[in-house]
């Protein structure tokens, strides 16, 4: 199968034309219309074998996850997904792998009406690079630098199950088959919180998607917003499987677990009911876990408001 | 050095803010404004070690080429470069490599006022994935499906020197040191024909950038435009170094050499003077090399209009 047949069979022929994409796959560039009064939101994430997923990972879940982690970035900004490009570097052409990968990819893309508009296929060590494009009304993006002292800190969904599943695959933990299956869904098939991100437009101030663990990701908001925070560790929403583990593991995985793809966002306390309403409307649990403060640094406290001394290291690809 | 320090030192701190980028590197997404009446042009190309460049390739030229091949896609459409994202997968952090790579990248980016607005760094086999974003007035893009019978076929610059240099590196050819240096520039540091692409707005009909060789790339235009062509082989602009080689090698490398990053475009013959003027204004040689015809297929003829029987295979990553 040639490169062009491959692209056609598994990628270009799988979509119907979209009004906002006057020119899609098959030219030097794709063309996209951006509505008046809207800004373009752009994010790029690559997934690398052995780093973001195990060698031999299931192709269908890989297709899902590659797009999901990118849509999660749009969700954090509050942007509507519009289109994406895919640069796929493959060691060889296995049709079964491609059929499954593209099925996982397009199932998720269709859910969010997000069109594949171009990309690239090359031979080499497996690497999946996606750039997503979304739209957001001027001035409404949830930027990391927008948190203000007094804001509530909120988390969508729950934390830590993805990390627990990972530890199980690495033989660092043991889980029942049912628990491993449940937590693996969180690791392999995260749900990008796009609907919540949209519902929070005009309600949330700052937001970030949790890919490297809450402590490190929240620190990005604090640094850019030039403020600090107190986080109530016992209020953190713990994943269903992780909640059966020890308290210390719950705290550790919730704070530095990584791969959660939940949203952490801040909102003025006057908007508390609006945040809860956004969660209800989008069927997304939202939990208040702390408060933004003027004093720099992040303080982790227990249910009695006692300062906890935690050693937290967020994930870093180069350390 | 951490991932964040790396990004800051070699990438985010190297640019001044740009008016059309309200939010750049360092958030979940970048935000970009698209002017009213303009469409967004989007293209993604990955460069993979051992496939697009040799292991141990000079980092500075690699930085240049990674962006150049993407800008070349914008050039073909006639789009103005505005921004790009970079997903960099690196086997390790070598500061010297990063300093050189980013120097090559930003030197070219600055020439075209094209801002790095985001991306990703990961550890893994070397892979450089760039997505470029440009702007083009509604309806003015040079699409592959826009060629019409009677159109002239034009080529910018010259063809084949990049392939000759590659053959030399593969020990299939011998060149003098001076000739290798000259042809290597074409292989390693192509000049994206952005200025010409812009000057051809409203003049050219179809266009494509020549990355896989003229015969295969022109075939894309013919297929999408549902027409055929005659190409005058002896009129092809041959690279300065290649022109010292045999006639048959000249033809072969000009037609299937690859890595030329010149533009092949069509224009109505009534616009011949406008094409020449666009070439003059942008200091880019333009050469008329054939004509679009209603009859399907591509006919290669010599200076006596005699049909040549050529066996042509364009580059394909999976064959």
């Amino acid at each position: 199968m040639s490169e062009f047949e491959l692209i056609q069979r598994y990628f270009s022929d799988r979509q119907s034309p979209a009004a906002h994409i006057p020119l899609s796959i098959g030219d030097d560039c794709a063309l996209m219309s951006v509505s008046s009064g809207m800004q373009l939101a752009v994010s790029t994430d690559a997934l690398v074998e052995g780093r973001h997923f195990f060698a031999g990972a299931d192709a269908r879940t890989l297709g899902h996850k590659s797009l999901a982690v990118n849509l999660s970035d749009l969700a954090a900004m509050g942007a509507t997904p519009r289109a994406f490009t895919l640069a796929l570097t493959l060691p060889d052409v296995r049709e079964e792998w491609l059929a499954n990968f593209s099925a996982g990819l397009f199932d998720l893309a269709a859910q969010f009406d997000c069109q594949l508009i171009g990309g690239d296929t090359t031979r080499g060590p497996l690497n999946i690079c996606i750039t997503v494009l979304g739209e957001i009304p001027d001035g409404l993006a949830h930027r990391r630098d927008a948190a203000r002292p007094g804001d509530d800190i909120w988390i969508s969904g729950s934390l830590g199950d993805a990390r627990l599943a990972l530890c199980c695959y690495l033989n660092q933990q043991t889980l029942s088959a049912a628990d491993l299956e449940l937590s693996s869904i969180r690791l392999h098939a995260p749900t990008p919180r796009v609907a919540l991100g949209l519902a929070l437009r005009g309600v949330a101030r700052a937001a970030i998607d949790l890919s490297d663990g809450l402590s490190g990701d929240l620190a990005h908001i604090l640094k850019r917003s030039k403020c600090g925070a107190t986080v109530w560790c016992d209020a953190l929403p713990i994943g269903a499987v992780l909640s059966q583990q020890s308290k210390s593991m719950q705290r550790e995985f919730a704070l530095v677990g990584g791969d959660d793809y939940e949203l952490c966002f801040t909102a003025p306390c006057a908007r508390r009911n609006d945040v809860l309403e956004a969660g209800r409307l989008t069927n997304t649990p939202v939990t208040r876990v702390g408060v933004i403060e003027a004093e720099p640094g992040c303080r982790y406290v227990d249910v009695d408001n006692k300062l906890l001394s935690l050693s937290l290291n967020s994930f870093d690809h180069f350390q």
Side-chain angles (χ1 to χ4, degrees), chain A:
Chain A
M1 187 166 41
S2 79
E3 184 180 352
F4 299 107
E5 289 163 344
L6 181 164
I7 292 170
Q8 194 154 18
R9 185 173 311 173
Y10 294 107
F11 298 103
S12 20
D13 283 357
R14 301 193 58 134
Q15 302 179 117
S16 318
H20 64 290
I21 310 291
L23 183 62
S24 188
I25 301 170
D27 215 304
D28 290 275
C29 295
L31 297 177
M32 176 174 143
S33 304
V34 177
S35 313
S36 165
M38 301 293 258
Q39 287 176 329
L40 189 74
V42 186
S43 184
T44 295
D45 267 312
L47 268 70
V48 178
E49 186 173 73
R51 201 77 197 165
H52 300 95
F53 56 89
F54 295 111
D58 176 68
R60 191 178 181 115
T61 53
L62 207 50
H64 174 101
K65 187 165 179 176
S66 305
L67 183 57
V69 304
N70 278 283
L71 291 173
S72 183
D73 286 312
L74 291 181
M77 302 301 283
T80 309
R82 302 303 298 269
F84 68 106
T85 65
L86 166 68
L88 192 54
T89 307
L90 290 173
D92 48 34
V93 177
R94 278 172 292 141
E95 293 218 32
E96 192 189 343
W97 191 95
L98 281 165
N100 288 323
F101 177 83
S102 60
L105 185 81
F106 284 112
D107 278 357
L108 189 66
Q111 278 179 47
F112 294 101
D113 201 14
C114 192
Q115 288 264 322
L116 178 67
I117 56 170
D120 190 22
T121 53
T122 314
R123 199 185 283 263
L126 186 54
N127 187 307
I128 304 156
C129 180
I130 286 181
T131 297
V132 281
L133 304 171
E135 280 188 349
I136 186 156
D138 287 353
L140 283 193
H142 311 135
R143 301 165 54 127
R144 293 184 184 176
D145 61 6
R148 296 290 169 266
D151 279 5
D152 294 323
I153 303 173
W154 298 82
I155 303 282
S156 70
S158 67
L159 304 175
D161 271 3
R163 173 61 176 269
L164 186 56
L166 180 66
C167 285
C168 199
Y169 287 112
L170 295 170
N171 295 317
Q172 297 166 349
Q173 289 292 324
T174 313
L175 289 175
S176 71
D179 280 350
L180 178 58
E181 195 183 335
L182 205 61
S183 55
S184 291
I185 293 172
R186 295 301 310 269
L187 179 63
H188 294 316
T191 303
R193 299 299 194 183
V194 171
L196 179 66
L198 295 178
L200 289 171
R201 279 183 184 171
V203 175
R205 277 199 176 118
I208 191 169
D209 90 309
L210 298 175
S211 53
D212 294 342
L214 174 60
S215 72
D217 289 329
L218 177 59
H220 294 309
I221 287 184
L222 302 184
K223 188 179 174 191
R224 292 216 141 211
S225 297
K226 298 186 176 65
C227 49
T230 289
V231 171
W232 312 318
C233 287
D234 295 311
L236 293 172
I238 302 297
V241 184
L242 180 60
S243 64
Q244 300 158 42
Q245 303 289 326
S246 72
K247 195 84 175 176
S248 69
M249 188 189 290
Q250 289 182 32
R251 277 185 187 153
E252 184 189 347
F253 286 10
L255 288 172
V256 298
D259 256 344
D260 292 308
Y261 298 104
E262 296 292 354
L263 300 188
C264 170
F265 58 96
T266 84
C269 49
R271 304 305 296 272
R272 219 166 267 176
N273 282 333
D274 298 317
V275 171
L276 293 170
E277 181 65 9
R280 263 192 304 271
L281 283 172
T282 60
N283 205 22
T284 313
V286 287
T287 308
R288 202 151 49 87
V289 302
V291 63
I292 298 290
E293 293 161 343
E295 188 191 343
C298 190
R299 292 153 288 283
Y300 297 93
V301 301
D302 68 9
V303 71
D304 300 318
N305 216 28
K306 205 182 125 213
L307 201 62
L308 297 167
S309 171
L310 304 171
S311 166
L312 301 173
N313 285 302
S314 208
F315 188 78
D316 184 316
H317 281 289
F318 290 101
Q319 283 193 332

